[in-house]
């Protein structure tokens, strides 16, 4: 925590940020998000029932987490309703409070990163849409339907695995491996095939993991994912989107979170380039605006 405090202080100093209010993102891998069905009851009874139902889905004691929930859209004639349940361990919130105090900020709010990603990426999508956020150590796969979150799944695979594969397979330093990912990636040029062949099996495995999640949603809802938005630093791998289109055979694109904010035209190309890496940050920044 002390190292995090020191780094945040340095970022604030170097960027000359004067604002003291802050919204902190909670890593999706540190939280629990699930949906489940329950009988349609009056609101007071639902509120009483949620903590008991939560015990079936949360792998830690309910007393150790902060719970929140919402009823997902559906027909009033249905006998059951779908509940979106979220839970954050209390020790995570205490840790954030300690970091905020150490940096000298005022905590305006906290939010699970999955919801920040949705806010910055999702448009008015009626059809089932997936957002795959590829982080450094882990990734988050979100499935939305009618613009509501229906499924959130974390996988402990991130873009660092691809870097390490290049380091080991080609005997290069980490910095050089990172350059290869961005500049060469999955290139099929003869002189660059060795690089692509080194990471292609890991990309295929990653796509298959997404396939399993999409198939589960289809079996559960009867609806298929029609579009994929990729975000996170890992989405910058050269040739990644083309590989995704070939594998999934549906519309796939790089998320552009900065399209939801106004910026000088001279910055347009740069914001497109760095946008996927700022998906969570933009979503957190839009939180106060979007909720009004």
């Amino acid at each position: 925590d002390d190292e995090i405090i020191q780094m945040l202080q340095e970022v604030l100093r170097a960027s000359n940020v004067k604002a003291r209010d802050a919204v902190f993102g909670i890593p999706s891998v540190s939280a629990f998000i699930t949906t489940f069905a329950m009988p349609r009851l009056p609101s007071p009874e639902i509120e009483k029932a949620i903590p008991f139902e939560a015990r079936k889905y949360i792998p830690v004691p309910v007393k150790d987490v902060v719970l929140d929930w919402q009823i997902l859209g559906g027909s009033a004639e249905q006998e059951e309703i779908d509940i979106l349940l979220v839970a954050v361990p209390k020790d995570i919130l205490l840790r954030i409070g300690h970091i905020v105090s150490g940096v000298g900020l005022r905590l305006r709010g906290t939010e699970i990163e999955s919801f920040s990603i949705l806010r910055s990426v999702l448009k008015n999508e009626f059809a089932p849409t997936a957002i795959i956020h590829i982080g450094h150590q882990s990734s988050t796969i979100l499935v939305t339907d009618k613009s509501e979150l229906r499924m959130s799944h974390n996988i402990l695979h991130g873009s660092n695995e691809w870097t390490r594969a290049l380091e080991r397979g080609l005997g290069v330093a980490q910095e050089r491996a990172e350059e290869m990912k961005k500049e060469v990636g999955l290139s099929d040029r003869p002189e660059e095939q060795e690089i692509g062949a080194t990471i292609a099996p890991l990309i295929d495995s990653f796509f298959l993991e997404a396939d399993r999640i999409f198939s589960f949603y289809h079996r559960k809802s009867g609806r298929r994912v029609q579009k994929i938005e990729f975000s996170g630093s890992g989405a910058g791998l050269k040739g990644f989107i083309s590989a995704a289109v070939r594998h999934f055979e549906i519309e796939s694109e790089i998320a552009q979170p900065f399209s939801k904010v106004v910026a000088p035209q001279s910055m347009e190309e740069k914001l497109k380039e760095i946008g996927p890496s700022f998906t969570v940050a933009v979503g957190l920044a839009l939180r106060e605006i979007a909720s009004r």
Side-chain angles (χ1 to χ4, degrees):
D1 286 1
D2 290 340
E3 290 181 6
I4 293 174
I5 290 170
Q6 186 176 349
M7 285 188 287
L8 284 174
Q9 288 173 331
E10 176 59 23
V11 167
L12 293 171
R13 185 200 63 78
S15 56
N16 200 30
V17 169
K18 301 301 183 185
R20 307 317 295 171
D21 290 342
V23 181
F24 271 64
I26 299 169
S28 300
V29 73
S30 300
F32 308 102
I33 304 176
T34 190
T35 59
F36 63 90
M38 65 181 293
R40 183 177 293 277
L41 300 168
S43 294
E45 293 185 36
I46 293 176
E47 196 161 342
K48 289 179 182 178
I50 291 294
F52 294 98
E53 289 292 320
R55 294 173 184 172
K56 302 176 185 177
Y57 305 98
I58 298 174
V60 297
V62 172
K63 65 179 178 62
D64 294 335
V65 300
V66 175
L67 288 175
D68 200 1
W69 57 275
Q70 73 177 61
I71 299 174
L72 297 174
S75 170
E77 290 77 33
Q78 291 175 324
E79 294 183 0
E80 289 190 326
I81 54 174
D82 289 328
I83 300 290
L84 174 66
L85 178 72
V86 299
V88 177
K90 291 179 180 178
D91 59 352
I92 297 288
L93 297 174
L94 288 172
R95 186 181 180 196
I96 289 175
H98 171 67
I99 292 170
V100 169
S101 176
V103 179
L105 296 172
R106 292 185 296 267
L107 186 61
R108 187 66 175 260
T110 58
E111 182 172 73
I112 300 171
E113 289 181 353
S114 296
F115 297 99
S116 306
I117 294 166
L118 288 180
R119 188 181 298 109
S120 64
V121 173
L122 196 64
K123 305 173 185 71
N124 293 323
E125 307 282 0
F126 179 82
T129 301
I131 302 174
I132 301 181
H133 184 78
I134 308 169
H136 185 66
Q137 300 285 2
S138 63
S139 301
T140 301
I141 300 178
L142 307 172
V143 177
T144 70
D145 203 343
K146 300 174 184 175
S147 293
E148 290 184 324
L149 179 62
R150 295 286 175 167
M151 186 175 293
S152 175
H153 188 84
N154 300 309
I155 54 177
L156 297 178
H157 300 285
S159 63
N160 188 47
E161 282 192 358
W162 311 339
T163 304
R164 293 183 63 189
L166 290 172
E167 289 180 62
R168 294 191 300 266
L170 304 180
V172 297
Q174 181 180 5
E175 288 185 6
R176 180 56 185 148
E178 285 288 345
E179 290 175 1
M180 287 177 171
K181 280 198 313 184
K182 295 175 182 176
E183 296 172 5
V184 179
L186 297 171
S187 170
D188 56 3
R189 294 172 60 180
E191 66 271 26
E192 297 172 336
Q193 281 186 344
E194 187 179 9
I195 296 172
T198 301
I199 53 179
L202 296 175
I203 303 299
D204 290 341
S205 176
F206 187 89
F207 287 162
L208 288 172
E209 185 75 24
D211 275 334
R212 284 191 284 272
I213 295 166
F214 297 167
S215 295
F216 178 78
Y217 184 73
H218 177 235
R219 291 195 302 272
K220 180 181 177 183
S221 68
R223 289 165 64 82
R224 294 184 184 277
V225 169
Q226 300 294 316
K227 179 183 177 182
I228 308 174
E229 296 258 13
F230 288 95
S231 67
S233 57
L237 175 73
K238 189 168 183 180
F240 184 83
I241 295 299
S242 297
V245 171
R246 288 195 299 271
H247 179 92
F248 295 107
E249 297 183 334
I250 58 175
E251 182 182 355
S252 304
E253 63 184 26
I254 293 281
Q256 295 297 336
F258 285 112
S259 66
K260 293 197 173 185
V261 302
V262 177
Q265 191 172 0
S266 59
M267 295 178 64
E268 187 174 335
E269 288 304 313
K270 189 63 179 177
L271 292 179
K272 280 185 180 179
E273 178 187 339
I274 67 174
S277 298
F278 281 80
T279 303
V280 172
V282 171
L284 288 169
L286 290 172
R287 180 174 178 267
E288 290 295 310
I289 301 170
S291 62
R292 288 175 184 169

